[in-house]
Each structure stands twice: as C-alpha cells, then as structure tokens.
C-alpha cells in the first residue's frame, strides 16, 4: 500500500482548492509565492508547527508500532503470532509542504515470515492493510509537556490520510513503477521548497542578511523562541530545517537492500569502468606511497607575521625593526612544499 501521512492544520493558509478560489478571494497561480503562507500571521500557530516538525520522527515510530498491533487485531492473532507468520515492511520519504510542515510518503508491504520471496498469509489482504494503516494513524498521539508560558500540546497526524493500493498487490491503476517514481521525486526534495536556508543559523541576527519569505522567517524565529523552553529538542540548532530533525529517507530492516550493499556495488562499478583491480583479489598486496607530509611548525612565518593584523598590544614591524615570528615557529623542513611535503598552519 502507498500511504501519505500529513500534518494537522496550524491555521488557514493561501491555497488552490478544488473550487479554484482561495479564502482570500484570489485564484492563485501554482507558482504564486503566497501559496502556503498564513492568511493571518498573527493568529497562525507557528510554535505548534515547528514542534510538530521536531517530533515528526517520533510520531512515525509510534505509527509503525500501532500498525503492527492493528494488523494483528484484524487478523485475529497475537502480535507474537504475527511475527512468526508475517513480516510488515515499510519504507518512507519525508517532504516539506509549502506551508513548512513535514509529511511522509510511505510504502507498506506484508511479506511472508522470511521476507518478500515467501507469500504472505491467506488473511493478508489489501482491505485489511488499508484499514490498519488508517486506524494506526488515528491512534497515534504524543504529548508535549508545558514549559514556561507554553501550554501542553497533543501532537497527532492530520486528518488527511491518503491510502492507495499498489498495482503489484491487486492489478490496480497505481503501478509499482509509478510509486517508485513518485517516492524518488520526493527523496530528492528538501526544505528549500519552503524558501529556507541550506545551512545552520548561528544567531537570529543572521536572518537580516538572508532573503527569506516572511512565513519561513517566522517559523525559524519560532524555533529560537522555543529553544530555551525545550532545550533537549535542539530547536535553534535545527531552525534552518524549520525544527525537523529526522531522516528524510528510512526503511525497515528487511524492506529492501541495504545502503552498504549499494555503496559496494557503486564502488565495484567505478573500479571496472576505470580498469582498477578489485582489492579483494590482492589481499597481500602492498601500498605505494607517492607523497608524504612532514610537520613544519605552527604560527606565522616572519613574512606572514608582518602581514597579519596587529593585536592591540603590538604593532607591525617596520623597516628599521626586526621582523617578528610566532613562538615555537620552525622553518620549513627540507622536504619543502608540494607533493613531497608541506607546511601546516
């Protein structure tokens, strides 16, 4: 099954509804930068939005726990019996909506007890899995305790849970290739779709130097304002991600091949293309060192000390005074610079 789990509403935003007209009375073009921004920024729950992003990974973890419970309950068996007869596998990617809220696209699969090469039990059906996904999403709730002036919050998935069967399960229109393409598209997207920066923010004053949409800036500022109240959540540290601190792509252990195996395959392909030998074929081979590094000292050289800005208690050397050099400074070694040696500073 292919499912999409969304965030709840934190306030009305500019959008393109089926009727064609936004609440603001405008029919927005799909490229309109106003899309996803708050209709009333003063009443929009920016604090709730960034806290939801911050806890989204834990919401997903609880969803996977409840999903197995719901499947077992509908199959009329215990969770222990479920583990022995069926394997629940899943893979997900995260995507930022234009409003700055994270949501997840996931593929959920029921395999046999030993993996996808074994048929699932007779009770495993599209309908059972569909109902289980919706029920599990509805059960998830995570309480964020109050802190200072910030009230207690209960975080849940949004009400728009979309679940569709994949063609490989029952000859539906949504094919496996279409899902793979859809997931791959969102796996390459990140928070830049919201207009945020691609690097960490060291202090709020940096925002004045960045060309950020007003809605995105308010989300970043909310992270910093909440940081003292929830220091263990590292909200300021992840403010450039609008509070989100999870992985953009994850999968259950048995869902597919591992990333390590993929890296080894790519490395082997590159070696073949370059005509390089496989290191496993020459385990007793030697390594030829073509260059080496030699410690030359630290601090400024005499010439560099003249060019460096003077400290409040010193001044640059003049033509009539000897040049200064940093303590513990050593001249370059005989290896010199280049491929056979270098000086580190």
């Amino acid at each position: 099954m292919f499912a999409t789990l969304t965030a709840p509403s934190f306030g009305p935003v500019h959008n393109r509804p089926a009727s064609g007209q936004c609440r603001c009375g405008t029919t927005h073009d799909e490229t309109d930068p106003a899309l996803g921004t708050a209709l009333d920024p003063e009443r929009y729950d920016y604090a709730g939005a960034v806290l939801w992003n911050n806890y989204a990974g834990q919401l997903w973890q609880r969803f996977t726990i409840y999903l197995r419970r719901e499947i077992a309950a509908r199959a009329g068996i215990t969770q222990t019996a479920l583990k022995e007869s069926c394997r629940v596998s899943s893979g997900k990617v995260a995507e930022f909506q234009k409003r700055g809220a994270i949501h997840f696209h996931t593929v959920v699969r029921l395999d046999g007890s030993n993996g996808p090469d074994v048929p699932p039990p007779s009770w495993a059906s599209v309908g059972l899995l569909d109902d289980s996904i919706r029920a599990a999403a509805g059960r998830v709730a995570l309480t964020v305790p109050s802190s200072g002036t910030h009230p207690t919050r209960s975080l849940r998935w949004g009400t728009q849970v979309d679940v569709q069967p994949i063609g490989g399960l029952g000859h539906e229109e949504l094919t496996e290739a279409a899902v793979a393409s859809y997931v791959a598209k969102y796996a390459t997207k990140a928070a830049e779709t919201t207009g945020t920066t691609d690097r960490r923010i060291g202090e709020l004053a940096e925002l004045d130097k960045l060309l950020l949409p007003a809605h995105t800036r308010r989300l970043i500022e909310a992270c910093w304002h909440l940081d003292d109240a929830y220091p263990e959540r590292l909200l300021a540290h992840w403010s450039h991600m609008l509070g989100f601190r999870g992985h953009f792509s994850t999968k259950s252990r048995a869902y597919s091949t591992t990333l390590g195996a993929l890296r080894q395959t790519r490395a082997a392909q590159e070696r073949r293309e370059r005509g390089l030998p496989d290191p496993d074929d020459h385990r007793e081979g030697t390594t030829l060192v073509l260059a080496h590094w030699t410690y030359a000292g630290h601090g400024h050289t005499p010439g560099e000390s003249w060019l460096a800005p003077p400290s409040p208690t010193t001044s640059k050397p003049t033509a009539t005074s000897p040049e200064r050099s940093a303590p513990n400074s050593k001249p370059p070694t005989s290896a010199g610079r280049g491929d056979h040696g270098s000086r580190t500073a």
Side-chain angles (χ1 to χ4, degrees):
M1 302 292 288
F2 182 66
T4 299
L5 306 177
T6 63
S9 173
F10 304 105
V13 297
H14 293 275
N15 60 6
R16 302 178 70 224
S19 62
Q21 191 174 71
C22 178
R23 293 186 186 183
C24 68
T26 303
T27 301
H28 296 287
D29 181 80
E30 61 181 6
T31 60
D32 191 338
L35 288 175
T37 62
L39 286 171
D40 186 355
E42 297 303 321
R43 301 180 63 182
Y44 192 83
D45 187 8
Y46 287 98
V50 297
L51 281 172
W52 198 94
N53 285 345
N54 192 258
Y55 280 94
Q58 289 174 247
L59 289 170
W60 168 259
Q61 181 187 36
R62 295 193 180 194
F63 166 76
T64 59
I65 294 172
Y66 282 126
L67 178 60
R68 288 169 172 80
R69 294 178 182 177
E70 292 293 334
I71 292 173
R74 281 164 172 72
I77 59 177
T78 64
Q79 293 186 59
T80 300
L82 175 66
K83 292 180 181 179
E84 296 174 351
S85 62
C86 179
R87 179 179 293 174
V88 183
S89 301
S90 64
K92 72 151 174 68
V93 292
E95 179 205 2
F96 270 101
Q97 297 173 307
K98 288 188 176 181
R99 59 176 171 145
I102 203 75
H103 67 189
F104 295 133
H105 302 285
T106 178
V107 176
V108 182
R109 191 179 66 211
L110 296 181
D111 298 328
S113 57
N114 293 324
D117 295 332
V118 179
S122 59
W123 51 258
S125 66
V126 169
L128 181 144
L129 186 54
D130 186 313
D131 292 342
S132 299
I133 291 174
R134 296 180 189 276
R139 287 185 60 184
V140 173
L142 191 154
T143 301
V144 179
S146 61
S147 180
T149 60
H150 304 287
T152 301
R153 295 175 182 270
S154 180
L155 304 181
R156 294 177 175 273
W157 296 107
T159 56
Q160 296 180 347
V161 178
D162 181 45
V163 184
Q164 300 182 51
I166 300 174
L169 296 178
H171 308 290
E172 292 81 7
E173 293 183 359
L174 187 59
T175 64
E176 293 177 340
V179 171
S181 176
Y182 192 64
V183 170
K185 178 179 72 172
Y186 289 112
T188 59
K189 295 176 65 176
E192 68 269 8
T193 57
T194 65
T196 187
T197 180
D198 60 354
R199 58 182 176 82
R200 298 194 189 280
I201 299 169
E203 57 182 359
L204 273 178
E206 293 182 19
L207 300 184
D208 295 330
K209 303 177 183 178
L210 302 173
L211 298 176
L212 298 173
H215 182 75
T216 301
R217 175 167 180 150
R218 284 175 178 261
L219 288 168
I220 294 175
E221 290 172 342
C223 289
W224 282 81
H225 295 155
L226 290 165
D227 192 60
D228 289 339
Y230 303 97
E232 74 284 356
R233 303 308 301 175
L234 303 176
L235 283 157
H237 187 73
W238 291 99
S239 60
H240 67 299
M241 297 295 292
L242 312 184
F244 180 62
R245 53 185 289 184
H247 295 285
F248 270 91
S249 176
T250 62
K251 68 179 185 65
S252 56
R253 183 171 298 177
Y255 178 76
S256 64
T257 185
T258 64
L259 295 177
L262 291 175
R263 284 192 292 267
Q264 292 177 2
T265 300
R266 286 197 296 267
Q269 176 65 23
E270 186 173 354
R271 285 195 299 269
R272 287 193 295 269
E273 292 177 352
R274 296 187 178 188
L276 300 176
D278 189 330
D280 292 336
D281 297 337
H282 305 277
R283 295 184 181 276
E284 298 180 356
T286 59
T287 301
L288 175 63
V289 178
L290 300 177
H292 67 276
W293 294 86
T294 304
Y295 178 75
H298 64 277
H300 292 304
T301 64
E304 291 170 341
S305 66
W306 191 92
L307 294 173
S311 67
T313 57
T314 61
S315 60
K316 291 183 178 180
T318 63
T320 58
S321 63
E323 293 179 326
R324 301 175 185 270
S325 61
N328 301 323
S329 178
K330 299 180 182 180
T333 63
S334 58
R337 303 189 182 190
D339 291 339
H340 299 286
S342 179
R343 177 185 178 275
T344 60

